Amino acid sequence: WLKNVDTTFYIIGSVAGFHPYPMMVRDFQSIIGIEAKKQAMYFEGRLPDYLIACVGGGSNSIGLFYPFLKYKDVKMIGVEAGGKGLDTKYHAATLSKGDIGILHGSKSYVLQDKNGQISATHSISAGLDYPGVGPEHAYLKNTGRVKYFAVTDKEVVNAFFDLTRLEGIMPALESAHALAYLRKMKFKKNDFVVVNLSGRGDKDVNTIL
């Protein structure tokens, strides 16, 4: 991409990169949030208190969050890849530890060194192992509308086994990041929480083993 910047678009399939791709992917992915909103009203008769989703580039999470953004009582949490810990170099927690920079044609938070060179990243989940994040997520972080946190690989694996054993559902390791953050939260008895399971764990079985 860097050798052919005049003739090449880098389209990652997420909400990262330059306009109109973040908007296009967000709008396609927002069917997740539209459906979640309809089902929330149908089954519970109210909107959720919390929405929780993993964030790499940020497509599944912005898809869930977007239809709810205007509802101020709905709290939203994005969960990044903390890898081996935020105090190490082995993570992909762009919003938690990154700085403003340019990557793949857009200005957002990126993981970089003091010279603006993009840092290597690490995550147990290939889908979250990205050194940037969609610009809309950067905006939502800056405005405080969405809160962003990180969980470690170890916490993610534990969450994977939790859902597998308790519900018979193997979540993707990406989704298991969102599940892992549930252990860190304190809820009221009647809180209504939606966690986005953005993928199945079949593809991750070898990694888990």
Side-chain angles (χ1 to χ4, degrees):
W1 183 76
L2 289 173
K3 289 182 179 179
N4 303 283
V5 69
D6 290 331
T7 59
T8 303
F9 286 165
Y10 186 84
I11 304 171
I12 198 172
S14 187
V15 291
F18 50 87
H19 181 74
Y21 298 106
M23 182 181 72
M24 289 171 60
V25 177
R26 177 202 70 194
D27 288 352
F28 291 141
Q29 290 279 51
S30 67
I31 190 65
I32 298 168
I34 292 168
E35 186 66 26
K37 183 180 170 188
K38 285 180 180 177
Q39 290 194 27
M41 296 306 296
Y42 181 80
F43 289 107
E44 297 290 330
R46 62 190 177 107
L47 295 175
D49 296 296
Y50 293 92
L51 303 175
I52 307 175
C54 65
V55 178
S59 59
N60 90 90
S61 48
I62 206 69
L64 177 63
F65 297 162
Y66 186 65
F68 292 92
L69 287 175
K70 63 183 177 182
Y71 301 103
K72 300 303 182 185
D73 290 337
V74 180
K75 302 176 185 69
M76 303 180 195
I77 296 171
V79 187
E80 296 190 291
K84 296 179 189 250
L86 295 185
D87 55 343
T88 74
K89 295 181 180 180
Y90 301 100
H91 64 77
T94 309
L95 289 163
S96 300
K97 297 291 284 187
D99 303 300
I100 299 296
I102 305 294
L103 176 63
H104 297 143
S106 76
K107 179 181 179 182
S108 186
Y109 285 93
V110 297
L111 294 171
Q112 60 189 339
D113 65 18
K114 63 182 180 180
N115 297 313
Q117 298 299 309
I118 301 303
S119 302
T121 57
H122 164 81
S123 172
I124 194 172
S125 164
L128 301 186
D129 195 6
Y130 181 64
V133 69
E136 191 165 3
H137 280 292
Y139 170 77
L140 293 171
K141 170 187 167 68
N142 287 348
T143 60
R145 181 64 186 94
V146 180
K147 305 296 183 187
Y148 296 91
F149 304 95
V151 293
T152 66
D153 289 347
K154 184 176 181 180
E155 291 170 320
V156 168
V157 172
N158 288 337
F160 173 92
F161 282 116
D162 280 346
L163 194 66
T164 302
R165 289 167 176 157
L166 295 171
E167 300 288 348
I169 298 170
M170 285 195 304
L173 284 173
E174 291 87 352
S175 307
H177 283 69
L179 290 164
Y181 195 73
L182 286 174
R183 285 175 171 262
K184 298 175 176 287
M185 297 185 69
K186 292 183 179 179
F187 299 108
K188 301 189 185 83
K189 183 177 181 181
N190 294 320
D191 277 346
F192 175 16
V193 182
V194 173
V195 179
N196 195 19
L197 290 186
S198 55
R200 287 168 42 178
D202 308 47
K203 65 181 178 58
D204 294 320
V205 169
N206 287 336
T207 301
I208 289 291
L209 291 175

